[in-house]
Short mmCIF file of all heavy atoms in Angstrom, two decimals:
data_model
loop_
_atom_site.label_atom_id
_atom_site.label_comp_id
_atom_site.label_asym_id
_atom_site.label_seq_id
_atom_site.Cartn_x
_atom_site.Cartn_y
_atom_site.Cartn_z
N VAL A 112 132.59 81.98 57.91
CA VAL A 112 132.37 81.13 56.73
C VAL A 112 131.71 81.96 55.63
O VAL A 112 132.17 81.97 54.47
CB VAL A 112 131.48 79.91 57.08
CG1 VAL A 112 131.16 79.11 55.82
CG2 VAL A 112 132.17 79.02 58.10
N ALA A 116 133.47 82.97 52.02
CA ALA A 116 132.87 82.60 50.74
C ALA A 116 132.66 83.85 49.89
O ALA A 116 132.90 83.85 48.68
CB ALA A 116 131.55 81.87 50.96
N LEU A 119 135.93 84.96 48.41
CA LEU A 119 136.38 84.08 47.33
C LEU A 119 135.45 84.16 46.12
O LEU A 119 135.74 83.61 45.06
CB LEU A 119 136.45 82.63 47.82
CG LEU A 119 137.47 82.36 48.94
CD1 LEU A 119 137.24 80.97 49.54
CD2 LEU A 119 138.89 82.48 48.43
N CYS A 121 132.42 82.80 45.75
CA CYS A 121 131.93 81.46 45.37
C CYS A 121 130.69 81.05 46.16
O CYS A 121 130.40 81.61 47.22
CB CYS A 121 133.04 80.43 45.54
SG CYS A 121 133.40 80.09 47.24
N GLU A 122 129.98 80.10 45.59
CA GLU A 122 128.85 79.46 46.28
C GLU A 122 129.37 78.16 46.89
O GLU A 122 130.08 77.40 46.22
CB GLU A 122 127.72 79.16 45.28
CG GLU A 122 126.54 78.47 45.93
CD GLU A 122 125.33 78.30 45.01
OE1 GLU A 122 125.31 78.85 43.90
OE2 GLU A 122 124.40 77.58 45.42
N LEU A 123 129.03 77.92 48.14
CA LEU A 123 129.56 76.72 48.82
C LEU A 123 128.73 75.48 48.52
O LEU A 123 129.13 74.36 48.86
CB LEU A 123 129.62 76.96 50.33
CG LEU A 123 130.52 78.13 50.77
CD1 LEU A 123 130.47 78.29 52.29
CD2 LEU A 123 131.96 77.93 50.31
N THR A 124 127.55 75.68 47.91
CA THR A 124 126.66 74.56 47.58
C THR A 124 126.32 74.61 46.10
O THR A 124 125.40 75.32 45.70
CB THR A 124 125.36 74.68 48.41
OG1 THR A 124 124.80 75.98 48.19
CG2 THR A 124 125.60 74.48 49.90
N LEU A 125 127.08 73.90 45.30
CA LEU A 125 126.81 73.86 43.86
C LEU A 125 126.11 72.56 43.50
O LEU A 125 126.50 71.49 44.00
CB LEU A 125 128.13 73.93 43.07
CG LEU A 125 128.88 75.27 43.06
CD1 LEU A 125 130.18 75.13 42.28
CD2 LEU A 125 128.02 76.37 42.45
N PRO A 126 125.08 72.63 42.63
CA PRO A 126 124.39 71.41 42.21
C PRO A 126 125.39 70.39 41.69
O PRO A 126 126.35 70.76 41.01
CB PRO A 126 123.47 71.88 41.08
CG PRO A 126 123.28 73.34 41.32
CD PRO A 126 124.54 73.83 41.97
N ASP A 127 125.21 69.16 42.02
CA ASP A 127 126.06 68.02 41.57
C ASP A 127 127.44 67.97 42.24
O ASP A 127 128.10 66.95 42.20
CB ASP A 127 126.33 68.02 40.06
CG ASP A 127 125.07 68.00 39.24
OD1 ASP A 127 124.04 67.59 39.80
OD2 ASP A 127 125.12 68.40 38.07
N ILE A 128 127.91 69.07 42.79
CA ILE A 128 129.28 69.08 43.33
C ILE A 128 129.23 68.86 44.85
O ILE A 128 129.83 67.93 45.37
CB ILE A 128 130.01 70.42 43.02
CG1 ILE A 128 129.91 70.74 41.54
CG2 ILE A 128 131.44 70.38 43.51
CD1 ILE A 128 130.85 70.00 40.63
N ALA A 129 128.51 69.73 45.53
CA ALA A 129 128.35 69.57 46.99
C ALA A 129 127.08 70.30 47.42
O ALA A 129 126.86 71.45 47.04
CB ALA A 129 129.55 70.15 47.73
N GLN A 130 126.27 69.62 48.18
CA GLN A 130 125.02 70.21 48.68
C GLN A 130 125.02 70.25 50.21
O GLN A 130 123.99 70.46 50.83
CB GLN A 130 123.82 69.41 48.16
CG GLN A 130 123.58 69.62 46.67
CD GLN A 130 123.09 71.04 46.37
OE1 GLN A 130 121.97 71.38 46.65
NE2 GLN A 130 123.95 71.87 45.80
N THR A 131 126.19 70.01 50.77
CA THR A 131 126.31 69.98 52.22
C THR A 131 127.58 70.74 52.62
O THR A 131 128.62 70.58 51.98
CB THR A 131 126.45 68.52 52.72
OG1 THR A 131 125.33 67.79 52.24
CG2 THR A 131 126.51 68.42 54.23
N VAL A 132 127.45 71.55 53.66
CA VAL A 132 128.63 72.24 54.20
C VAL A 132 128.81 71.79 55.65
O VAL A 132 127.87 71.88 56.44
CB VAL A 132 128.45 73.78 54.16
CG1 VAL A 132 129.72 74.47 54.64
CG2 VAL A 132 128.07 74.25 52.77
N ILE A 133 129.99 71.31 55.95
CA ILE A 133 130.28 70.91 57.33
C ILE A 133 131.14 71.99 57.97
O ILE A 133 132.20 72.33 57.46
CB ILE A 133 131.01 69.55 57.38
CG1 ILE A 133 130.10 68.45 56.83
CG2 ILE A 133 131.44 69.22 58.80
CD1 ILE A 133 130.73 67.06 56.81
N LEU A 134 130.64 72.53 59.08
CA LEU A 134 131.40 73.52 59.84
C LEU A 134 132.05 72.79 61.01
O LEU A 134 131.35 72.19 61.84
CB LEU A 134 130.46 74.60 60.38
CG LEU A 134 130.14 75.79 59.49
CD1 LEU A 134 129.61 75.37 58.12
CD2 LEU A 134 129.13 76.69 60.16
N THR A 135 133.36 72.82 61.07
CA THR A 135 134.03 72.12 62.15
C THR A 135 135.26 72.90 62.58
O THR A 135 135.49 74.02 62.13
CB THR A 135 134.39 70.67 61.70
OG1 THR A 135 134.87 69.95 62.83
CG2 THR A 135 135.44 70.66 60.60
N LEU A 149 138.44 64.55 61.73
CA LEU A 149 138.42 65.08 60.36
C LEU A 149 138.21 63.98 59.33
O LEU A 149 137.49 64.16 58.35
CB LEU A 149 139.74 65.80 60.06
CG LEU A 149 139.79 67.29 60.37
CD1 LEU A 149 141.11 67.86 59.90
CD2 LEU A 149 138.61 68.02 59.73
N LEU A 152 134.59 63.16 58.94
CA LEU A 152 133.83 64.18 58.21
C LEU A 152 134.23 64.20 56.74
O LEU A 152 133.39 64.41 55.86
CB LEU A 152 134.09 65.56 58.83
CG LEU A 152 133.85 65.67 60.35
CD1 LEU A 152 134.21 67.06 60.84
CD2 LEU A 152 132.39 65.36 60.69
N ALA A 153 135.51 63.96 56.49
CA ALA A 153 136.03 64.04 55.11
C ALA A 153 135.42 62.95 54.23
O ALA A 153 135.32 63.12 53.02
CB ALA A 153 137.55 63.91 55.13
N ARG A 154 135.01 61.88 54.85
CA ARG A 154 134.43 60.77 54.09
C ARG A 154 133.23 61.22 53.24
O ARG A 154 132.94 60.66 52.21
CB ARG A 154 133.99 59.68 55.09
CG ARG A 154 134.30 58.29 54.61
CD ARG A 154 134.18 57.27 55.72
NE ARG A 154 135.37 57.22 56.54
CZ ARG A 154 135.40 57.14 57.87
NH1 ARG A 154 134.28 57.10 58.55
NH2 ARG A 154 136.53 57.09 58.52
N HIS A 155 132.55 62.27 53.66
CA HIS A 155 131.38 62.77 52.92
C HIS A 155 131.79 63.57 51.68
O HIS A 155 130.95 63.83 50.82
CB HIS A 155 130.51 63.65 53.82
CG HIS A 155 129.99 62.93 55.02
ND1 HIS A 155 128.91 62.09 54.96
CD2 HIS A 155 130.42 62.90 56.30
CE1 HIS A 155 128.69 61.59 56.16
NE2 HIS A 155 129.58 62.05 56.99
N ARG A 156 133.01 64.03 51.67
CA ARG A 156 133.52 64.85 50.57
C ARG A 156 132.64 66.08 50.29
O ARG A 156 132.52 66.55 49.17
CB ARG A 156 133.73 64.04 49.30
CG ARG A 156 134.88 63.05 49.44
CD ARG A 156 135.45 62.65 48.09
NE ARG A 156 134.51 61.87 47.32
CZ ARG A 156 134.37 60.55 47.41
NH1 ARG A 156 135.13 59.87 48.27
NH2 ARG A 156 133.50 59.91 46.68
N SER A 157 131.99 66.56 51.33
CA SER A 157 131.19 67.78 51.20
C SER A 157 132.12 68.99 51.37
O SER A 157 133.31 68.83 51.62
CB SER A 157 130.09 67.80 52.26
OG SER A 157 130.69 67.64 53.51
N THR A 158 131.56 70.17 51.23
CA THR A 158 132.36 71.37 51.47
C THR A 158 132.65 71.43 52.97
O THR A 158 131.76 71.24 53.80
CB THR A 158 131.58 72.63 51.03
OG1 THR A 158 131.17 72.46 49.67
CG2 THR A 158 132.43 73.87 51.17
N LEU A 159 133.90 71.70 53.29
CA LEU A 159 134.33 71.65 54.69
C LEU A 159 134.89 73.02 55.09
O LEU A 159 135.71 73.59 54.36
CB LEU A 159 135.44 70.59 54.77
CG LEU A 159 135.80 69.94 56.08
CD1 LEU A 159 134.58 69.32 56.75
CD2 LEU A 159 136.86 68.86 55.84
N ALA A 160 134.42 73.53 56.22
CA ALA A 160 134.94 74.79 56.74
C ALA A 160 135.58 74.49 58.09
O ALA A 160 134.88 74.12 59.04
CB ALA A 160 133.81 75.81 56.90
N ILE A 161 136.89 74.63 58.15
CA ILE A 161 137.61 74.26 59.38
C ILE A 161 138.09 75.52 60.10
O ILE A 161 138.89 76.30 59.57
CB ILE A 161 138.82 73.35 59.06
CG1 ILE A 161 138.36 72.15 58.23
CG2 ILE A 161 139.51 72.89 60.34
CD1 ILE A 161 139.48 71.30 57.68
N LEU A 175 142.93 64.83 55.20
CA LEU A 175 141.91 65.06 54.16
C LEU A 175 142.27 64.43 52.82
O LEU A 175 141.39 64.00 52.07
CB LEU A 175 141.67 66.56 53.96
CG LEU A 175 141.16 67.34 55.17
CD1 LEU A 175 140.88 68.78 54.78
CD2 LEU A 175 139.88 66.70 55.74
N TYR A 179 139.63 63.50 49.74
CA TYR A 179 139.33 64.54 48.74
C TYR A 179 140.25 64.46 47.52
O TYR A 179 139.91 64.97 46.46
CB TYR A 179 139.47 65.94 49.36
CG TYR A 179 138.35 66.32 50.28
CD1 TYR A 179 138.35 65.97 51.62
CD2 TYR A 179 137.25 67.06 49.81
CE1 TYR A 179 137.33 66.34 52.48
CE2 TYR A 179 136.22 67.43 50.66
CZ TYR A 179 136.26 67.07 51.99
OH TYR A 179 135.24 67.43 52.83
N CYS A 183 142.33 68.46 45.15
CA CYS A 183 141.10 69.15 45.59
C CYS A 183 141.42 70.60 45.99
O CYS A 183 142.38 70.85 46.73
CB CYS A 183 140.47 68.42 46.78
SG CYS A 183 138.96 69.21 47.33
N PRO A 184 140.63 71.55 45.53
CA PRO A 184 140.88 72.95 45.90
C PRO A 184 140.71 73.20 47.40
O PRO A 184 139.81 72.62 48.04
CB PRO A 184 139.81 73.72 45.12
CG PRO A 184 139.32 72.78 44.08
CD PRO A 184 139.50 71.40 44.61
N VAL A 185 141.56 74.06 47.91
CA VAL A 185 141.45 74.47 49.31
C VAL A 185 141.84 75.94 49.40
O VAL A 185 142.78 76.38 48.73
CB VAL A 185 142.29 73.57 50.25
CG1 VAL A 185 143.68 73.37 49.74
CG2 VAL A 185 142.34 74.10 51.67
N ALA A 186 141.08 76.67 50.20
CA ALA A 186 141.38 78.09 50.40
C ALA A 186 141.67 78.32 51.87
O ALA A 186 141.02 77.73 52.74
CB ALA A 186 140.20 78.95 49.96
N LEU A 220 140.43 80.85 58.21
CA LEU A 220 139.47 79.78 57.98
C LEU A 220 139.95 78.93 56.81
O LEU A 220 140.40 79.46 55.80
CB LEU A 220 138.10 80.39 57.65
CG LEU A 220 136.99 79.35 57.54
CD1 LEU A 220 136.49 78.97 58.94
CD2 LEU A 220 135.83 79.89 56.72
N ILE A 221 139.84 77.62 56.98
CA ILE A 221 140.24 76.71 55.92
C ILE A 221 138.96 76.20 55.25
O ILE A 221 138.11 75.61 55.92
CB ILE A 221 141.05 75.52 56.50
CG1 ILE A 221 142.26 76.05 57.28
CG2 ILE A 221 141.48 74.56 55.39
CD1 ILE A 221 142.92 75.01 58.17
N LEU A 222 138.84 76.44 53.97
CA LEU A 222 137.68 75.95 53.21
C LEU A 222 138.18 74.90 52.22
O LEU A 222 139.14 75.15 51.49
CB LEU A 222 137.01 77.08 52.45
CG LEU A 222 136.08 78.00 53.25
CD1 LEU A 222 135.68 79.20 52.42
CD2 LEU A 222 134.84 77.24 53.73
N VAL A 223 137.52 73.76 52.20
CA VAL A 223 137.95 72.66 51.35
C VAL A 223 136.77 72.17 50.52
O VAL A 223 135.66 72.03 51.04
CB VAL A 223 138.45 71.47 52.22
CG1 VAL A 223 139.05 70.37 51.33
CG2 VAL A 223 139.46 71.92 53.25
N GLY A 224 137.01 71.92 49.24
CA GLY A 224 135.95 71.31 48.44
C GLY A 224 136.02 71.72 46.99
O GLY A 224 136.57 72.78 46.65
N ARG A 225 135.42 70.89 46.16
CA ARG A 225 135.48 71.12 44.70
C ARG A 225 134.66 72.34 44.30
O ARG A 225 134.86 72.88 43.21
CB ARG A 225 135.01 69.86 43.95
CG ARG A 225 135.77 68.62 44.38
CD ARG A 225 136.59 68.00 43.26
NE ARG A 225 137.56 67.06 43.82
CZ ARG A 225 138.82 66.94 43.44
NH1 ARG A 225 139.29 67.67 42.46
NH2 ARG A 225 139.62 66.09 44.02
N VAL A 226 133.76 72.81 45.16
CA VAL A 226 132.97 74.02 44.83
C VAL A 226 133.86 75.24 44.66
O VAL A 226 133.47 76.22 44.04
CB VAL A 226 131.92 74.35 45.92
CG1 VAL A 226 130.81 73.31 45.96
CG2 VAL A 226 132.57 74.50 47.28
N LEU A 227 135.06 75.19 45.23
CA LEU A 227 135.93 76.38 45.23
C LEU A 227 136.52 76.67 43.85
O LEU A 227 137.00 77.77 43.61
CB LEU A 227 137.06 76.21 46.25
CG LEU A 227 136.63 76.08 47.71
CD1 LEU A 227 137.83 75.84 48.60
CD2 LEU A 227 135.87 77.32 48.16
N ALA A 228 136.54 75.67 43.00
CA ALA A 228 137.12 75.90 41.67
C ALA A 228 136.44 74.99 40.67
O ALA A 228 137.06 74.10 40.12
CB ALA A 228 138.62 75.63 41.72
#
Side-chain angles (χ1 to χ4, degrees):
V112 175
L119 296 168
C121 72
E122 179 173 351
L123 299 179
T124 54
L125 288 178
D127 303 339
I128 308 282
Q130 288 291 287
T131 304
V132 183
I133 296 179
L134 274 54
T135 188
L149 269 185
L152 307 177
R154 221 166 278 137
H155 300 280
R156 291 203 292 274
S157 54
T158 306
L159 200 54
I161 306 171
L175 299 184
Y179 285 86
C183 181
V185 48
L220 186 80
I221 304 166
L222 281 171
V223 186
R225 306 244 164 222
V226 291
L227 298 177

